[in-house]
Amino acid sequence: MAIITSVELNYLVFRYLHESGFTHTAFTLGYEASLNKMSIDGNLVPPGALVSFVQKGIQYLELEANLNDDNTDLDGDFSLLQPVELLTKDVAELRQLIRERREKIEKEREKEREKEREKEREREREKQERERERAERERDREQKERDKERERDKERGDVKVKIEEPRSSGDMDVTVAATNPVNEIPASQVTILEGHGSEVFICAWNPTGSLLASGSGDSTARIWTIADGPSGVNAQSSAPRPLVLKHFRGKTNEKSKDVTTLDWNAEGTLLATGSYDGQARIWSKDGELKNTLNKHKGPIFSLKWNKKADLLLSGSVDKTAIVWDAKTGEVKQQFEYHEAPTLDVDWRNNMSFATCSTDNMIYVCKLGETKPVKKFAGHEDEVNAIKWDPTGNLLASCSDDYTAKEIYTIKWSPSGPGTSNPNQQLVLASASFDATIRLWDVEQGIQLYSLTQHSEPVYSVAFSPNGEFLASGSFDKCLHIWSVKDGNLLKTYKGSGGIFEVCWNKEGDRVAACFSNNTVCVLDFRM
């Protein structure tokens, strides 16, 4: 380690005094310290050397104060200190001072975040109230239309009979009530996964194994190993502890890093997560952070792998979509077409995709092209979701304008040409804030069934891998499983919180759901 001598220090002070105009003081110091007898070459000492030397010492002390005893970073942001503090206190006192300031700042930030959360909850309550009022007005209007129709039938002497049987080719629009006894799944047959510290927004099964990923408002994603055998209260007793994928540094979470979306690649080897801090992250299935993707300037709402798993597509509040090189983490291309936040993205094939936004627009884009391949401007309100059908020929979109031209999400059945169920009919499912689910025959453009057993907004629907069943999750806390063939409700489970997402495992014998009460559940399904 380099050591400065008293003679060298005297020379630096001499130079400082001389450069600052204190000529007489500099002369006195030089005379008394016998600097003229020193062997220091003044030409090698740059101007301002003493000031630079002191500043670097202060910066070193400040850096040391921001480290733990083992030289690792203290939790939280780097903290700046005043020079007088650095000169009058030792490192231990400085570290304590930093901790106290950070605790104070964190408390103030938490108050602000709580205010924002309360505002968001209030906006959500107001939105849901408006949706209920709109739904009630719509029901009233439909009821009046039915009453008028019945009056006209009476005048004509007509009689109409409603037959609640499996659909025939002539059915156009059928509202399905539960005509058969519903098999309610008891809590004893459901595995509850606990560990998240906030609501769980999203979950997804690994496409090749028994791993289940979940993302939460606690700024973490988790990878659960689901035990073999029947689901139940004690089913996970011998399973490994979940892998916790932290999206923050330190001991406390940050709401700015809520995990908003996640997606497994086709091989099930990598998990991509998007969060509120605008960063996408790629993890191994063993929980190792492989890459952090930094380019977005706002929360990421949608994140999708292409089928080859060499590219990752993200959509953000910053109005853009980005295609990333999954191996290097580099930006392949950023697409800046929307005038408002990008809500959803979906690959058409390995090179082209679609995006939708709160600006009511949908763009079809292709890697390497500087302009959209196609654009759609038919919606009159923000477009919540988009999905290509299995062939990539049809694009479905849903919007707050109540067309399936408020609808929250849509899903295609894994059936028809190009799927593992080529002889089955292609069906589109839409879920709405009016608590209904509708199944559509897209070829004929008609509604097949309206499924009406939920009592609150439906946030998620998912088809089973064989395309024969549909799972739905709602804020009425109920997970329903329906028959796609006849629209009957087959099984139901009521949890302890609103449901944000439902998904099937690859075998189609298990369904997972994530809840607003910080839990994830897994239940068995066999017919």
Side-chain angles (χ1 to χ4, degrees), residues 18 67 77 129 191 208 218 222 227 248 280 282 311 314 343 360:
H18 193 273
L67 296 176
D77 298 330
E129 184 61 30
T191 300
T208 62
D218 64 5
R222 292 172 190 248
F248 60 93
I282 299 176
L311 300 176
S314 59
L343 295 183
N360 310 350

Side-chain angles (χ1 to χ4, degrees), residues 284-425:
S284 72
K285 66 178 182 179
D286 299 320
E288 178 187 357
L289 180 60
K290 292 290 189 180
N291 225 325
T292 301
L293 314 180
N294 292 298
K295 181 68 173 178
H296 282 301
K297 297 179 180 179
I300 296 175
F301 282 164
S302 185
L303 192 65
K304 304 282 179 63
W305 291 93
N306 67 347
K307 291 182 180 179
K308 286 177 62 178
D310 61 337
L311 300 176
L312 192 63
L313 172 65
S314 59
S316 168
V317 170
D318 66 8
K319 308 176 187 179
T320 73
I322 296 178
V323 175
W324 310 82
D325 185 312
K327 186 175 182 179
T328 65
E330 296 177 352
V331 175
K332 298 284 285 186
Q333 189 172 348
Q334 186 169 22
F335 298 81
E336 303 179 70
Y337 303 142
H338 288 295
E339 298 177 355
T342 304
L343 295 183
D344 198 13
V345 295
D346 196 43
W347 289 99
R348 183 184 188 187
N349 50 44
N350 284 314
M351 295 296 288
S352 62
F353 58 91
T355 67
C356 68
S357 166
T358 58
D359 64 6
N360 310 350
M361 294 294 296
I362 300 171
Y363 292 110
V364 179
C365 312
K366 185 175 182 180
L367 190 62
E369 299 288 339
T370 58
K371 294 182 180 180
V373 176
K374 197 170 185 62
K375 61 181 180 180
F376 299 97
H379 285 295
E380 298 177 359
D381 207 332
E382 60 186 56
V383 186
N384 294 321
I386 46 175
K387 291 289 182 296
W388 290 99
D389 80 322
T391 66
N393 293 323
L394 300 175
L395 178 64
S397 61
C398 64
S399 167
D400 284 351
D401 61 10
Y402 281 90
T403 63
K405 157 12 253 218
E406 150 175 343
I407 314 291
Y408 185 77
T409 188
I410 47 178
K411 289 289 174 63
W412 291 97
S413 62
S415 51
T419 71
S420 56
N421 310 297
N423 298 322
Q424 292 178 217
Q425 179 186 19

Side-chain angles (χ1 to χ4, degrees), residues 142-176:
E142 292 176 353
Q143 185 61 45
K144 289 178 182 178
E145 290 296 326
R146 287 193 292 268
D147 291 342
K148 289 179 181 179
E149 183 65 24
R150 282 196 292 269
E151 288 299 324
R152 288 193 291 267
D153 291 341
K154 288 179 182 178
E155 293 173 2
R156 294 194 300 266
D158 294 343
V159 178
K160 291 189 176 181
V161 180
K162 181 179 179 182
I163 303 175
E164 294 184 342
E165 293 181 352
R167 71 175 185 267
S168 64
S169 59
D171 287 332
M172 294 290 286
D173 188 343
V174 181
T175 298
V176 177

Side-chain angles (χ1 to χ4, degrees), residues 465-481:
N466 62 12
E468 296 179 4
F469 307 103
L470 181 77
S472 62
S474 163
F475 248 53
D476 63 7
K477 305 178 183 179
C478 289
L479 187 161
H480 292 329
I481 300 179

Side-chain angles (χ1 to χ4, degrees), residues 45-65:
V45 180
L50 178 64
V51 174
S52 176
F53 188 79
V54 173
Q55 285 178 334
K56 289 179 180 179
I58 290 176
Q59 289 171 350
Y60 178 85
L61 184 59
E62 188 172 41
L63 178 62
E64 187 179 14

Side-chain angles (χ1 to χ4, degrees), residues 31-52:
Y31 177 77
E32 293 184 352
S34 301
L35 295 182
N36 60 323
K37 298 179 181 180
M38 292 175 53
S39 60
I40 298 176
D41 185 354
N43 295 323
L44 299 178
V45 180
L50 178 64
V51 174
S52 176

